[in-house]
Amino acid sequence: MLNKNCTIAKLGEPILREKAKKVKEINSPEIQDIITKMLHCVKQSKGVGLAAPQIFESYQILIISSHPNERYPNAPLLKDEVLINPKIINKSKEKEKGWEGCLSIPGIRALVPRHINIEVEYTSVDGNIKQVIFEDFIARIFQHEFDHLVGKVYIDRVEDNIDIISEELYFKII
Ligand code: NI
């Protein structure tokens, strides 16, 4: 029976600093259960993305779930996409700073420089290899979630501690 308890791994949990394992059998019950749980938990936690290590599953799976909600009022509306074993093929030289938060690091937001465009290859839930170019906020979500698969978190990318603010203040300024 699938455990739908969405306990999110918080900063300090060793799993957030590990390199996630490659998925070998997409159709295995274990992987299918993890994907179902991730889709459920990203909604319940009001995230715009989620990576498997955040629910204590060290696999290369991430979800982009962009839609406006209370945590991200300006997020564009997009269908949920599950990306398995994602790889970065290409990225724009140009970076842009933008606000990020993370379910694993509650209470703060920070300005993070990210590539504006990023070309990605991944396996979809139906087992097809896809190549996609993500732009702007979606490229930002991808880069944030991809970091979770290689043991990084967004505050590692912050240029200056002055770019980190409390979430309470963030909601006052946006
Ligand atoms: Ni995160």
Side-chain angles (χ1 to χ4, degrees):
M1 200 36 197
L2 180 62
N3 171 12
K4 288 238 176 131
N5 163 29
C6 295
T7 302
I8 302 288
K10 302 279 163 46
L11 190 64
E13 289 285 357
I15 197 165
L16 293 178
R17 293 310 196 169
E18 285 167 18
K19 247 189 120 185
K21 293 187 293 270
K22 199 168 173 178
V23 175
K24 293 204 176 100
E25 305 243 6
I26 293 174
N27 292 317
S28 70
E30 186 197 3
I31 296 299
Q32 288 299 315
D33 276 1
I34 292 171
I35 292 170
T36 305
K37 186 171 172 179
M38 286 175 71
L39 287 164
H40 166 75
C41 291
V42 75
K43 288 231 150 41
Q44 203 191 68
S45 319
K46 300 192 171 18
V48 288
L50 189 70
Q54 292 184 278
I55 57 157
F56 295 90
E57 299 289 353
S58 189
Y59 281 108
Q60 293 176 22
I61 308 171
L62 65 86
I63 290 179
I64 295 177
S65 177
S66 179
H67 53 276
N69 66 24
E70 2 177 323
R71 290 189 72 243
Y72 293 90
N74 303 319
L77 181 62
L78 216 82
K79 208 172 123 272
D80 286 359
E81 184 67 14
V82 178
L83 289 78
I84 300 159
N85 301 331
K87 280 187 299 205
I88 295 170
I89 303 173
N90 230 320
K91 50 200 175 192
S92 65
K93 235 193 212 142
E94 216 185 327
K95 289 187 179 181
E96 193 174 61
K97 274 191 188 181
W99 290 106
E100 294 183 24
C102 181
L103 296 170
S104 296
I105 313 173
I108 61 162
R109 297 282 175 129
L111 280 172
V112 187
R114 298 284 189 190
H115 302 282
I116 296 174
N117 300 312
I118 194 146
E119 188 176 1
V120 172
E121 185 181 279
Y122 64 96
T123 306
S124 62
V125 261
D126 44 24
N128 295 317
I129 306 277
K130 287 194 177 181
Q131 284 188 2
V132 185
I133 297 173
F134 294 123
E135 295 178 341
D136 303 320
F137 188 66
I138 306 301
R140 177 171 299 282
I141 298 175
F142 173 82
Q143 289 168 83
H144 177 117
E145 302 309 334
F146 185 82
D147 272 353
H148 281 302
L149 305 184
V150 295
K152 282 198 179 301
V153 293
Y154 80 100
I155 51 172
D156 302 339
R157 305 271 186 204
V158 169
E159 279 176 354
D160 192 315
N161 283 341
I162 207 159
D163 288 338
I164 306 177
I165 66 170
S166 83
E167 195 157 56
E168 200 183 315
L169 200 72
Y170 170 80
F171 282 117
K172 282 183 194 152
I173 63 169
I174 60 155

